[in-house]
Amino acid sequence: MISELTYKKGYAMQKRDGFDYFDAFSKQAAYAQEMALNLESALEAGELGTRELIDALHTVENDADQVNHEIQAHLLSDFVVPMERDGLGSLAHALDDVSDAIEEVSLNAYIFGFSSFGEKGSLMVGMLSSACSVLCSATDELGDYRKRSAELKRMLVQVQTYESECDRIFVEAAHALYADGGLDAERRRILHTMLRVVEDAMDAVENAAERIESIVAENI
């Protein structure tokens, strides 16, 4: 078993010369935030269902994938890591899932030729963007989690609040779709699918926040 002193020395050396896991997590979250902001901007401009958007988001998603692959490779090869390996790997996958889920929104919009959500759907996209911004700030604080645990907790609760509110709006919006007897059935199906993929993306953000909360609790 590695002594505490040996571990601290190894971790200090790894932080100075080796792979910086915390910086990698920040990069993953920043990519997700960039994608969410682009999604929100495209919706406001009426360009949600365009090929240009999915190409732009796919480029960012590929960059996010590379960071995840890099993290997983280092977890396999590095002798000393800053936290428990499974927790670090789980967080990397969870952050990668956020980027994948946001890209899925744009892919569905392109497939359906979808450009307009209406008020409730637009609110959900805005909350997704805001939640990604908070998640990005939380990953920036993760490297100093012992000193910043209270601030981290506040941020993670804020993400959960966004998710709860987004879920409430989704239920209301989906109910309104089926309560509207005059709505075309195909349009109803498409709107429901689009609302669902945005909600799925928000769930992915919450899951990443929960992974951060879990690994911090295990290492405090």
Side-chain angles (χ1 to χ4, degrees):
M1 179 178 290
I2 303 174
S3 70
E4 183 178 359
L5 180 61
T6 301
Y7 179 85
K8 287 181 177 178
K9 287 181 177 178
Y11 176 43
M13 181 175 65
Q14 186 240 8
K15 285 288 288 179
R16 183 176 66 248
D17 299 321
F19 183 72
D20 190 334
Y21 288 88
F22 299 120
D23 180 66
F25 293 141
S26 290
K27 287 178 180 177
Q28 285 186 291
Y31 283 134
Q33 181 187 26
E34 180 182 351
M35 292 176 71
L37 287 171
N38 285 341
L39 190 73
E40 185 178 23
S41 296
L43 177 61
E44 292 172 353
E47 299 172 351
L48 186 62
T50 63
R51 182 76 209 188
E52 289 76 15
L53 178 64
I54 64 170
D55 287 345
L57 294 193
H58 187 63
T59 297
V60 181
E61 192 274 334
N62 276 341
D63 290 339
D65 270 347
Q66 291 304 310
V67 179
N68 182 38
H69 295 325
E70 192 174 6
I71 293 169
Q72 304 303 331
H74 277 279
L75 285 172
L76 289 173
S77 63
D78 289 355
F79 180 63
V80 176
V81 295
M83 292 176 169
E84 189 266 332
R85 290 178 194 272
D86 287 347
L88 295 173
S90 177
L91 176 56
H93 283 309
L95 289 168
D96 191 58
D97 287 344
V98 177
S99 296
D100 289 343
I102 294 171
E103 183 183 28
E104 190 69 18
V105 177
S106 70
L107 290 172
N108 276 271
Y110 178 70
I111 290 168
F112 293 132
F114 185 88
S115 60
S116 177
F117 266 112
E119 181 183 1
K120 286 185 170 61
S122 296
L123 278 174
M124 289 174 65
V125 173
M127 288 181 183
L128 173 63
S129 180
S130 296
C132 284
S133 179
V134 177
L135 182 67
C136 192
S137 296
T139 57
D140 288 343
E141 300 292 346
L142 187 55
D144 199 22
Y145 66 95
R146 286 191 173 91
K147 293 181 180 179
R148 304 288 289 171
S149 60
E151 183 66 11
L152 265 171
K153 178 65 175 177
R154 184 192 66 77
M155 293 176 181
L156 300 177
V157 168
Q158 190 174 359
V159 171
Q160 291 165 351
T161 300
Y162 278 128
E163 193 282 331
S164 295
E165 181 63 11
C166 189
D167 187 57
R168 183 190 66 79
I169 293 172
F170 166 73
V171 171
E172 290 182 358
H175 171 75
L177 289 178
Y178 292 94
D180 184 355
L183 188 63
D184 176 76
E186 181 66 8
R187 176 66 177 171
R188 180 185 294 118
R189 182 183 71 84
I190 292 172
L191 279 166
H192 192 176
T193 298
M194 291 302 305
L195 290 168
R196 171 59 70 187
V197 291
V198 174
E199 175 62 13
D200 288 345
M202 182 65 90
D203 287 343
V205 178
E206 183 187 36
N207 182 57
E210 289 174 348
R211 292 297 90 218
I212 294 174
E213 184 176 30
S214 177
I215 65 174
V216 168
E218 291 169 0
N219 287 275
I220 287 292

